[in-house]
Amino acid sequence: MAADRIDPAGRETILAATLAEHPDAFIAAIAPTGLFVPLPAELTAGTQRPIEGPSSALGLAVAEDQRTVIEAWHRALAEGVANCVIRPIAAPDRQARLHLIDVTPRLGIFVGLLTGLQDHAAPALQLDGVRPRLVTVHKDATSVISEAGPEITQLLGWSPAELVGRRTLDLLHPDDHERAIASWMDLLNSPLGAARRVRLRHLHRDGHPVWFEITNHNRLTDPDRPGIVAEMLDITDEMAAQEAVRAAEQLMRRLTETLPSGVLQIDADRRIVYLNDRAARCIGVKAGEVLGEGQLDAVLPADRDAVDEALDGVLISGGDVDLEFGHRLPGRGVRRFRANLRALSDEAGAVTGAIVCLADVTEDVRMREELRQRATYDGLTGCYNRAATLGALHDAVTGSDVRGTAVVFVDLNGFKQINDRYGHAAGDLLLTHVATRLRLAVADNGLVGRLGGDEFVVIRREVADAEQAHRLGADLLEALTGGGIEVNGQVLGPEASVGVAWAASGTTGPDELIARADAAMYEAKKNRTGPFALVLAG
């Protein structure tokens, strides 16, 4: 609920008391519009010191406290009296209190009093007002200044009188002379009333450049006042912002050129806005092209849909997307790339495009695959190694979708004697031969693992019963009986003892199942009467 408005007599009493309490305060007259106006005579007769410079009370406070001043002003409008604590621009490390008192019924103004700065010895509080941005300058046909508005002093540091009789060219930055002359000659050749606009740097009295957008009006044939009228708008802040953006863009471009990754920016329509040299080399595209209009043809067919979906995902949903894909360019073969896609959005959160970072991971993928091969396969035979074999067995016997699992344990007979008589090279050749024969017999219905030495294990899922498992063992034995290896003119064929074990899904653990197959193999080896023997575990 709003507070009651203090009546005029009460406000006059508050003003008198405040003036008496703060004889060293700084004082200003404020119109109901909020702008400073000249002090009435009766308010200049006291000991208070005038505030000079700003156009409103906002100019008294540091930027962070201007909202506080606005809120106090609205309270003064509503209640007739208000005050607030601010940090004045004249002493930003200090706190002062701003009093606002409505005496419009008698004087037509609000009185503003700034207290708390008693030790500020100046006879008046001098503050910079709002810096002007526009000044009008009159010139003759030779660009000599004949008149300049008073704003020129705050803009360029020269008084109007100091500039009269000087050539405009003398005030310009040397790098802008050529552009200024060209614009001026174009203006002189234009009809009466025509205007020409140009952006030029002028040199402030202290030497720093000030940017102006100058609109020169041709009034050379004006009978009343011939000449050129220049409206000069200070655009230094705008040009500084543009330069900051340009510098930031240059920095980003230079930075992307030093990165070991390809970087490209696309808009919401997949059009390439920017890409560094590495990105161009990676995927063979150019700025202006649209990803999807043939540019994805070089992506391997197996990865093309994933790349297309990733682009849609980042541009439609705005989510981060990471993926790997294969890419083929003429003369380069297939390369693998890792792509990190990140959305770009405007202030409202709408997706405006994306940044795509590309890294050539071909060697990483090759090494990763090599490590996977080493971790999974036996280096000599190409079979699954011991760890991978036992892992596959665990997955088979614990899988809920498996009717039953058969394990066939194969141990070569007399392998040590072959090594001793013909050498390890011959032994290795025989192991490779056995592995090949087993894989051909199993085909895609199972896997062949080498546990070490001359021991192999065959695992097959979806085996209905023990009888079917026994047939698998017999098929493997038959595969081993055909052919052999030639060493020193002799053909050496493998001999093997085979143990078979079977278990229905979920009834036996992997360790128990392979132990049963191992025990059956040893029983076959113990009781064999020829080069091959097969036993089904009970």
Side-chain angles (χ1 to χ4, degrees):
M1 181 176 179
D4 293 336
R5 183 172 176 80
I6 300 174
D7 61 40
R11 300 198 297 270
E12 292 285 355
T13 300
I14 292 172
L15 174 61
T18 306
L19 291 172
E21 183 180 355
H22 302 284
D24 293 326
F26 292 96
I27 190 169
I30 308 172
T33 60
L35 300 178
F36 282 1
V37 294
L39 279 167
E42 71 173 72
L43 294 179
T44 63
T47 59
Q48 285 78 22
R49 296 165 288 176
I51 298 173
E52 298 176 355
S55 59
S56 74
L58 282 177
L60 297 174
V62 298
E64 295 82 358
D65 291 349
Q66 289 181 350
R67 182 180 180 88
T68 302
V69 174
I70 293 173
E71 293 172 349
W73 174 249
H74 284 293
R75 290 200 308 275
L77 289 173
E79 303 169 19
V81 174
N83 67 80
C84 63
V85 175
I86 64 170
R87 288 166 293 169
I89 287 181
D93 57 338
R94 302 270 301 277
Q95 286 191 332
R97 186 171 293 277
L98 175 63
H99 303 261
L100 299 168
I101 304 169
D102 181 3
V103 289
T104 53
R106 184 169 65 87
L107 298 176
I109 61 166
F110 286 70
V111 174
L113 288 165
L114 194 62
T115 65
L117 299 175
Q118 294 88 342
D119 55 348
H120 195 85
L125 191 62
Q126 296 282 351
L127 298 171
D128 292 334
V130 177
R131 186 172 181 269
R133 295 188 60 211
L134 181 67
V135 62
T136 301
V137 176
H138 293 261
K139 315 170 191 177
D140 64 16
T142 61
S143 193
V144 173
I145 297 173
S146 59
E147 182 183 338
E151 299 87 355
I152 200 71
T153 302
Q154 285 186 267
L155 290 170
L156 286 177
W158 306 93
S159 69
E162 288 176 312
L163 293 180
V164 171
R166 294 190 63 177
R167 294 188 311 160
T168 303
L169 204 62
D170 297 337
L171 302 175
L172 294 180
H173 192 288
D175 291 348
D176 291 350
H177 282 188
E178 185 176 344
R179 187 165 69 254
I181 293 171
S183 176
W184 186 261
M185 296 306 297
D186 183 37
L187 178 70
L188 294 181
N189 291 320
S190 66
L192 178 65
R196 296 292 184 268
R197 186 171 296 168
V198 64
R199 291 187 166 194
L200 302 169
R201 283 168 293 181
H202 286 60
L203 295 177
H204 191 277
R205 186 169 195 154
D206 64 12
H208 79 269
V210 181
W211 274 98
F212 286 97
E213 182 174 87
I214 305 161
T215 305
N216 287 311
H217 299 270
N218 185 350
R219 297 179 183 171
L220 289 171
T221 58
D222 187 334
D224 297 326
R225 190 175 182 181
I228 303 294
V229 178
E231 294 174 341
M232 300 174 57
L233 179 66
D234 182 357
I235 57 169
T236 302
D237 291 344
E238 176 189 340
M239 297 304 289
Q242 290 183 11
E243 174 58 23
V245 171
R246 186 202 65 79
E249 290 178 346
Q250 182 189 45
L251 174 63
M252 291 305 297
R253 277 168 167 71
R254 298 295 291 173
L255 180 60
T256 58
E257 294 301 334
T258 65
L259 293 175
S261 302
V263 178
L264 61 110
Q265 177 186 351
I266 58 175
D267 64 17
D269 297 320
R270 296 192 182 186
R271 189 173 303 279
I272 300 173
V273 178
Y274 166 78
L275 75 166
N276 64 0
D277 290 342
R278 189 175 292 270
R281 293 195 302 270
C282 283
I283 56 176
V285 296
K286 297 181 294 186
E289 294 180 341
V290 176
L291 295 181
E293 295 181 353
Q295 277 67 37
L296 298 185
D297 290 349
V299 176
L300 297 187
D303 297 331
R304 205 167 290 161
D305 287 345
V307 172
D308 203 51
E309 291 171 4
L311 289 168
D312 281 344
V314 72
L315 293 176
I316 295 174
S317 68
D320 296 345
V321 181
D322 301 313
L323 79 157
E324 273 188 18
F325 64 92
H327 192 272
R328 185 192 301 274
L329 284 178
R332 293 187 58 199
V334 175
R335 309 293 295 179
R336 296 291 301 180
F337 291 99
R338 181 178 62 247
N340 306 108
L341 292 79
R342 299 294 183 266
L344 300 173
S345 58
D346 58 20
E347 292 183 358
V351 176
T352 59
I355 291 290
V356 182
C357 293
L358 298 169
D360 189 332
V361 295
T362 305
E363 292 305 312
D364 292 344
V365 171
R366 183 189 62 77
M367 292 179 63
R368 188 172 65 210
E369 179 60 21
E370 184 177 317
L371 290 174
R372 188 187 71 82
Q373 289 281 343
R374 291 180 179 178
T376 306
Y377 298 100
D378 174 54
L380 174 63
T381 64
C383 298
Y384 276 64
N385 61 23
R386 182 183 186 89
T389 300
L390 296 178
L393 177 60
H394 178 273
D395 293 341
V397 299
T398 58
S400 59
D401 59 338
V402 178
R403 290 183 296 169
T405 301
V407 175
V408 181
F409 205 116
V410 180
D411 183 86
L412 300 185
N413 300 322
F415 180 72
K416 182 177 183 303
Q417 287 77 9
I418 291 176
N419 266 340
D420 292 343
R421 182 174 180 180
Y422 298 102
H424 288 283
D428 290 346
L429 190 60
L430 183 61
L431 290 174
T432 303
H433 170 76
V434 169
T436 301
R437 302 294 293 181
L438 292 176
R439 281 198 298 269
L440 289 173
V442 172
D444 296 331
N445 297 324
L447 66 86
V448 179
R450 181 187 176 204
L451 297 188
D454 58 358
E455 295 179 335
F456 294 86
V457 168
V458 176
I459 301 170
R460 179 178 285 178
R461 303 169 68 145
E462 294 298 327
V463 177
D465 50 34
E467 181 181 351
Q468 187 176 347
H470 186 270
R471 285 199 301 271
L472 171 63
D475 291 341
L476 293 175
L477 267 185
E478 184 178 354
L480 294 179
T481 60
I485 63 171
E486 185 175 338
V487 179
N488 298 331
Q490 298 183 43
V491 176
L492 301 179
E495 299 180 7
S497 298
V498 177
V500 179
W502 175 86
S505 176
T507 62
T508 305
D511 294 340
E512 180 183 348
L513 186 57
I514 199 168
R516 287 170 53 200
D518 186 30
M521 180 275 294
Y522 274 108
E523 184 179 347
K525 184 181 289 288
K526 177 181 177 181
N527 298 320
R528 73 185 178 91
T529 58
F532 298 97
L534 171 66
V535 170
L536 174 66

